[in-house]
Amino acid sequence: MGVHGLTTYLRENQRTLSTILNLHSSSTDSTPIVVDGWSFIYDVYRNSNLPWVYGGEYPEFCDLVTAVVNAWIKVGLRIFFVFDGPTPELKFSTVVSRLGQSHVHPSLLFFRTSSASRGTARFLNETRIIPPLAYTACINTLKILQNSVDVVELHFADEEGDPYAVELAGKIGGYVVGNDSDFVVLNTEGYLGYIPLDEMMCGFQEVRKPKSKRRPVADTNIGRGIIPPDGDDSTLSLVVYKPDSLAAHLNIPVTLLPLLGALVGNDFTMQSESNHRKVQSLFFDRQLSLSQRITRVASTIQTILSPSTQKRKSLKHQVGSVMDLIDRTVNSLLARLNTTFGSGEIDSIVETIVEATLQYAIPKHEDANMSAENLQSPQVCALHPHNTCPLLPLLSRRVEAEHSNDFEAKSETLHHTMKIRAQYLAAFRGGQLAPKILDVLSSGTFWPRIFLENPDAETVSRSIGRPIREWTYSILDNAVGLPGVLDEESENQPDKTEDEEGLDDLIDVVESDSETELAEDDLLAPLKGELHRLHGSDDDDPSTAIPSTHSPHPPRPLIVVEYLRRGTRVAQEAVEVRPVQMLFDSVSLPPYSGSIPVPSFSLAERVTVLLRVLDSDVLPVRSLPKEQIIPVLAVRWVVRTLNSRAEETKSKEREKERWTKREAACFLATFNSPAQSSSALAPQETPVPILDRSVQLTAQVLQSFESIEHLSQALLLTDTLPTRAHSFSGKTFHRLLAAPGIGPELISPDLVDALNFGLEHAFNKDRSVEKPKKAKKAPTRIPQKVILGDGGLFKVLANESE
C-alpha cells in the first residue's frame, strides 16, 4: 500500500530516517495519534492468530481490539481512528487487482488443494482472507470504547482516508499510525510523522517488590505485534518517520514528495483494466529494485532543479512551473528507451502523473470554527467548512433538484429531503452508514465483500446479496439521489472558476536557494488548473449537454456497477435501479405515492418495509427481541432464496444447495453465549473439520447478513435493529455443523418458530431420520396498521410512538 517500495526503503534506512518514541504507563503526558482504521483491523487480525477460514471469530477479535486500545490509553495515547470514505474512481484498477490477489486467488487455491494440505497452519496463514464482518465488529467495539472514555474518537473520511488522517493529525498536533507509506509523503502543518503499525513494540517492565535485590528486567514479556502482553506495567516503543527527514535524505524539497510518489508508482498510477501496462514500466529498467527506483527519481528531480543545471539552460527552458517540472522529469525518465513517443502519448503519461500527484493534496481551510475542540461533534465535517466538504454534495442531489423546482406543492418534499440528508450525514459520521453505501452515492458502484466460497459456483454476492441490494439502491435514489442525470444537469450550469492568474502560478526554483523557501510554496496548487486544461476540449463539447428536467426521477434508467467475483476474477456487472413504486408492488406493500421519501416513513412503516422485502413479515419474527432479528432474517433469506432457485430450475445441484433445519439452527446457536453453544459439543481440543459445504453455508449467510445490514442502514433502522456481527463465531458454527444429532434443541422455541414459520417446505431434508410432522398453516401477513404487542419488536415500536 502507498508508494511502491517506500516501506522497504524506510526500513533499509531506518537509522538515518527514523526516531524512537518510548511511552510508559507511568508517564502523565498525553500523546495524540491518528490511527488508519483498516490498517488497524488487518494488523490486529494478523497478529491475533485467530482462525479466519471459518468466517471469523468476532467475539475474540473484539476482545483483542479492546485490549489494544486500553493498552494504548494506559501509556498516555489519545486515539483518533479514521476509516476510509467512498473509494476514489482513480483507484478502481488498484482495488480490482488487490481483490483478485487477496480474495479471489486464495479462495481458488483453497478449493483446489486437498483437505489434508489446506488444513495446515502454514497454508491457512499464507492464504489468509480478512473475515467479511471484521469492519462491522470493529466499529461496534470502538463505539463502545468511545462512549466509555474521553480519549477515543471515531472519524469517517469524506473520501480517501489517508489525506484526511494526516490533515486531522496536523489539526491536533499528532502522529499517524498505520501500514501505508503514503503517510510519510503526505504532509501538513502540525503533522508530527508516520508510525508504522508493524514496527510497534509492545511490552512491559517486570515490577519487583522493594525488598527484592534483583533489578527489574525490561520487556521480559513482549506482545504479538500490537497485541499487548499480560501485565499492568506497560511500555510501547514507536518508530517515527517524518516527511522532512525523508526529503532531506533524498535531497529534494519536501513539497515534491507527492510528485516522487506518483513517479515511482502509487495506488493511483495503475492503468485501466483494459491496459495493464504500468507507466512505471516505461520509466525504469527491470533490474532496478524498488528502492533503487526511488533513488533514481529523486536524483532526476534533483538534477532538474539544481542551480548548475539551470544555468546551463537558456532562460526560456528554465523550470518555471509544476507542469514544466513534471514534463521534464517524465521525458528524462523516458529517455532510457529508444522508442520515440508521440506528443499525445507523453501528454497521457503526464496526465496520469498529475492525477496521481493531486491525490496527496491537502487543501488549507481558513475557518475559525475548525478547531481541535470541535472535532468530536461537527455539524457537517470535522475538518472542512460545509461549503468545501466533498461529502455534502453526494447527499444533496435530491435537495438541489427540489430547490430548482418552483412549484410550492413541492415544499413538503423539500423539507423531507433536507431532513434525510442531515440524517444520512449524521449516520455516516456516527458509523451507522457503511462507506460501501457511500460508494453507491459517490461513483454509482458497489463492492461486495469477497470471502471464501466455491469458485465453481455462482458467487453469493449475486445469488444471495443482489436482490436485497437492488432495494438498497432504489431507496438511496429515492432518498438522496444516485449519480446520473441529476449530476449531469448540475455540471452543465456555469461554474465559478479560479482567476486565470491563479492557474499560472509559477514556482521560482531558479532563484530559490533554500529548501525553506520551496517548502512554503504550495507546489500542488497549479496542477488542478493545468489538469482542467488537458480536459478542456471534452468539457466544452456541446454534444454532451443533457437537457434539463424538473422530474425527481431521471428519464433514463439509473445504473449501479457492481464489482464481484466472476469465475476466477473480479468483473463489473451493471444493475438497473428500478423506481421504488415498482418494487413496492412486488412485495404487497401499499401503493407508494411518492410524496415523501421512504426513509421519512414512520418507524413502524420502515420496519414493515424491511420485513416485507425479506419475506419475513410474520408474527414470530416481530415478537423476537430486537437483538435476535437480524440473524434470523439473514438465515431465513438464505433458506428462502436457495429454495426458490431450486424450484425454478428443478436442478439436482440446486436442490443440494438448500439448507436443512438443523443447519439453520446451528447458525442461530452461534449467537448464544459460549457456554450454551459448547455444552453439547465435543471437547474444544478436537480439531474442527473444514468441510466444503460448511464453508459455502458460511459464505451465503454472511453475505445475507451484510446485505440486510446495508438495507437496514439505508432505512435508518440501525438503532432499532442492531447488528450482531460481533457475536458470531465461525468456528462454533462449523463445529456445530460437524456434530451429528445437534440442531434445533440449541435454540429457544421462539427462535425455532421464527426460523420455520412460513418456510416449512423450503428446507431440505436432514440426513438423519426425522419423525413425520403435522402440516402448519400458511404464514399470515401482518397488515400495515398493526396492533402493538407487549414484547419484542412490538415493544420497541410502541416506545417510539410514545
Side-chain angles (χ1 to χ4, degrees):
M1 296 174 64
V3 179
H4 301 168
L6 185 53
T7 298
T8 301
Y9 186 87
L10 294 176
R11 289 175 178 170
E12 291 174 350
N13 299 275
Q14 186 185 81
R15 289 188 176 182
T16 305
L17 296 177
S18 69
T19 58
I20 303 298
L21 178 64
N22 292 313
L23 304 175
H24 196 277
S25 57
S26 60
S27 174
T28 58
D29 297 332
S30 176
T31 305
I33 60 170
V34 178
V35 182
D36 176 22
W38 269 108
S39 293
F40 178 78
I41 290 175
Y42 276 102
D43 212 72
V44 171
Y45 219 99
R46 178 175 60 87
N47 288 288
S48 67
N49 295 328
L50 293 174
W52 63 269
V53 70
Y54 303 112
E57 303 306 306
Y58 303 108
E60 296 177 62
F61 171 69
C62 293
D63 289 343
L64 289 174
V65 169
T66 302
V68 172
V69 173
N70 285 334
W72 287 357
I73 294 173
K74 192 178 297 183
V75 296
L77 291 178
R78 184 183 178 195
I79 311 164
F80 299 78
F81 285 94
V82 170
F83 291 89
D84 290 323
T87 305
E89 295 186 43
L90 194 60
K91 202 174 180 179
F92 282 4
S93 296
T94 298
V95 175
V96 169
S97 175
R98 284 180 180 167
L99 285 174
Q101 295 172 4
S102 62
H103 290 71
V104 177
H105 178 70
S107 183
L108 176 66
L109 188 61
F110 177 89
F111 278 91
R112 297 293 185 263
T113 304
S114 67
S115 299
S117 298
R118 72 188 187 189
T120 62
R122 179 178 179 180
F123 179 88
L124 293 176
N125 185 57
E126 292 176 350
T127 58
R128 182 184 301 272
I129 304 174
I130 193 73
L133 302 183
Y135 172 83
T136 302
C138 182
I139 294 296
N140 182 78
T141 304
L142 293 178
K143 287 174 67 176
I144 293 174
L145 289 167
Q146 182 180 18
N147 294 331
S148 61
V149 296
D150 59 358
V151 292
V152 174
E153 293 184 19
L154 270 67
H155 291 261
F156 298 85
D158 311 317
E159 297 176 305
E160 176 78 2
D162 295 355
Y164 189 99
V166 172
E167 187 174 358
L168 177 59
K171 183 74 66 176
I172 63 176
Y175 305 87
V176 170
V177 177
N179 277 331
D180 193 329
S181 59
D182 280 342
F183 292 128
V184 79
V185 173
L186 290 155
N187 197 16
T188 190
E189 183 180 355
Y191 176 44
L192 297 184
Y194 162 53
I195 299 173
L197 269 170
D198 54 10
E199 293 186 38
M200 276 188 171
M201 183 67 70
C202 187
F204 72 91
Q205 186 173 18
E206 185 180 355
V207 179
R208 295 289 178 183
K209 296 181 180 180
K211 295 182 179 180
S212 176
K213 295 182 180 181
R214 291 180 58 186
R215 297 183 62 184
V217 181
D219 295 335
T220 57
N221 188 5
I222 302 299
R224 304 188 305 273
I226 64 172
I227 307 297
D230 297 331
D232 296 329
D233 199 13
S234 302
T235 62
L236 190 62
S237 180
L238 311 175
V239 180
V240 182
Y241 298 94
K242 297 183 178 181
D244 290 338
S245 300
L246 175 62
H249 183 73
L250 296 172
N251 200 19
I252 62 174
V254 68
T255 49
L256 288 182
L257 286 177
L259 175 57
L260 178 137
L263 291 167
V264 173
N266 57 22
D267 294 344
F268 303 95
T269 54
M270 179 176 289
Q271 299 298 293
S272 63
E273 295 176 68
S274 59
N275 179 17
H276 291 283
R277 188 184 188 187
K278 295 182 179 180
V279 172
Q280 281 64 39
S281 65
L282 304 175
F283 290 163
F284 309 109
D285 294 328
R286 290 185 177 181
Q287 62 268 24
L288 285 181
S289 67
L290 292 176
S291 296
Q292 290 172 330
R293 293 183 178 189
I294 293 173
T295 304
R296 167 75 191 282
V297 171
S299 62
T300 301
I301 294 175
Q302 179 186 353
T303 300
I304 295 173
L305 293 180
S306 65
S308 59
T309 303
Q310 296 292 315
K311 290 178 181 178
R312 291 196 299 267
K313 300 289 183 180
S314 63
L315 184 63
K316 66 178 182 179
H317 291 98
Q318 291 178 354
V319 178
S321 69
V322 181
M323 289 299 298
D324 188 16
L325 174 61
I326 294 176
D327 186 79
R328 289 181 58 178
T329 306
V330 167
N331 279 279
S332 179
L333 292 173
L334 292 175
R336 72 178 189 87
L337 300 175
N338 296 323
T339 307
T340 302
F341 290 90
S343 59
E345 292 178 284
I346 294 189
D347 286 345
S348 177
I349 295 173
V350 169
E351 181 180 338
T352 299
I353 299 302
V354 169
E355 289 180 333
T357 304
L358 281 174
Q359 304 308 308
Y360 294 106
I362 299 179
K364 296 180 180 179
H365 304 284
E366 300 297 333
D367 192 309
N369 294 326
M370 296 296 111
S371 61
E373 290 75 16
N374 296 333
L375 292 177
Q376 194 165 8
S377 56
Q379 292 183 347
V380 174
C381 181
L383 297 180
H384 315 125
H386 71 277
N387 59 333
T388 61
C389 178
L391 180 63
L392 198 59
L394 306 184
L395 304 172
S396 301
R397 295 186 180 93
R398 288 286 174 224
V399 172
E400 293 174 356
E402 293 299 332
H403 266 304
S404 66
N405 202 330
D406 296 330
F407 296 101
E408 294 183 1
K410 296 294 183 180
S411 59
E412 182 182 358
T413 304
L414 176 60
H415 169 74
H416 285 294
T417 55
M418 294 183 68
K419 181 180 178 181
I420 290 173
R421 179 179 67 175
Q423 289 176 315
Y424 271 16
L425 183 61
F428 176 69
R429 296 298 187 196
Q432 294 185 336
L433 194 68
K436 288 188 175 295
I437 293 180
L438 266 293
D439 285 328
V440 181
L441 301 178
S442 172
S443 57
T445 61
F446 190 84
W447 305 75
R449 298 201 191 280
I450 300 175
F451 189 59
L452 188 65
E453 62 174 336
N454 183 0
D456 299 322
E458 181 183 9
T459 177
V460 295
S461 299
R462 185 190 301 112
S463 61
I464 303 296
R466 178 173 291 173
I468 303 175
R469 290 197 302 271
E470 288 177 344
W471 272 90
T472 304
Y473 303 152
S474 295
I475 290 173
L476 290 173
D477 181 48
N478 171 261
V480 293
L482 299 187
V485 174
L486 293 178
D487 285 332
E488 293 168 0
E489 289 175 8
S490 61
E491 289 172 3
N492 289 329
Q493 301 297 323
D495 296 328
K496 295 181 180 179
T497 59
E498 300 180 25
D499 189 84
E500 193 66 19
E501 295 180 359
L503 299 178
D504 294 328
D505 289 339
L506 300 180
I507 303 167
D508 191 1
V509 295
V510 180
E511 298 179 2
S512 299
D513 54 4
S514 69
E515 185 174 327
T516 304
E517 217 174 310
L518 285 168
E520 291 176 353
D521 292 325
D522 182 6
L523 301 191
L524 301 183
L527 293 188
K528 293 184 179 179
E530 296 293 343
L531 189 60
H532 176 74
R533 288 179 177 180
L534 291 175
H535 292 289
S537 59
D538 295 336
D539 295 341
D540 297 335
D541 185 2
S543 63
T544 61
I546 304 295
S548 63
T549 173
H550 294 302
S551 171
H553 297 285
R556 56 184 174 79
L558 283 174
I559 296 295
V560 171
V561 177
E562 295 184 341
Y563 287 79
L564 38 71
R565 182 186 65 80
R566 184 189 298 167
T568 59
R569 65 189 181 93
V570 176
Q572 303 178 18
E573 292 189 8
V575 178
E576 181 178 337
V577 180
R578 292 181 289 172
V580 169
Q581 294 93 325
M582 186 184 302
L583 293 178
F584 268 46
D585 295 338
S586 67
V587 293
S588 303
L589 282 166
Y592 176 62
S593 64
S595 59
I596 63 173
V598 176
S600 288
F601 286 4
S602 69
L603 178 60
E605 290 173 331
R606 282 180 282 136
V607 169
T608 298
V609 170
L610 178 71
L611 296 180
R612 293 283 177 91
V613 168
L614 302 174
D615 198 24
S616 292
D617 191 10
V618 292
L619 185 60
V621 173
R622 281 185 174 266
S623 301
L624 290 174
K626 63 179 184 178
E627 293 81 9
Q628 296 180 348
I629 290 180
I630 292 294
V632 170
L633 293 178
V635 71
R636 280 179 60 91
W637 176 258
V638 174
V639 170
R640 174 192 174 278
T641 301
L642 295 182
N643 178 64
S644 298
R645 285 159 54 89
E647 290 181 344
E648 289 172 2
T649 62
K650 305 298 181 182
S651 165
K652 291 184 178 179
E653 291 299 320
R654 293 282 175 87
E655 182 68 24
K656 293 178 182 178
E657 289 181 350
R658 294 165 63 200
W659 282 46
T660 65
K661 290 183 179 180
R662 190 184 78 85
E663 290 168 339
C666 287
F667 170 73
L668 294 179
T670 63
F671 293 91
N672 294 335
S673 65
Q676 290 176 306
S677 300
S678 59
S679 58
L681 295 174
Q684 295 295 315
E685 291 76 17
T686 305
V688 180
I690 307 173
L691 306 177
D692 286 359
R693 178 166 178 84
S694 298
V695 169
Q696 194 65 12
L697 295 181
T698 303
Q700 292 166 353
V701 75
L702 292 185
Q703 176 61 219
S704 175
F705 203 107
E706 182 187 48
S707 300
I708 292 173
E709 186 177 75
H710 288 162
L711 176 59
S712 174
Q713 291 177 355
L715 289 168
L716 299 174
L717 290 174
T718 306
D719 290 331
T720 306
L721 300 175
T723 179
R724 291 293 303 280
H726 56 281
S727 302
F728 176 70
S729 167
K731 189 173 183 179
T732 300
F733 182 39
H734 281 245
R735 188 184 295 273
L736 289 170
L737 290 173
I742 294 179
E745 68 276 4
L746 288 176
I747 59 177
S748 67
D750 290 342
L751 277 176
V752 173
D753 291 342
L755 173 63
N756 296 333
F757 197 87
L759 297 176
E760 291 83 358
H761 303 292
F763 291 97
N764 207 345
K765 293 182 179 180
D766 291 332
R767 291 184 175 87
S768 58
V769 180
E770 294 184 346
K771 297 180 180 180
K773 299 181 180 179
K774 297 181 180 179
K776 294 186 178 180
K777 296 181 179 179
T780 304
R781 290 284 183 185
I782 303 296
Q784 178 115 6
K785 295 182 179 180
V786 297
I787 300 175
L788 301 178
D790 295 330
L793 189 57
F794 289 120
K795 186 174 182 179
V796 175
L797 300 181
N799 292 337
E800 181 70 18
S801 63
E802 293 175 0

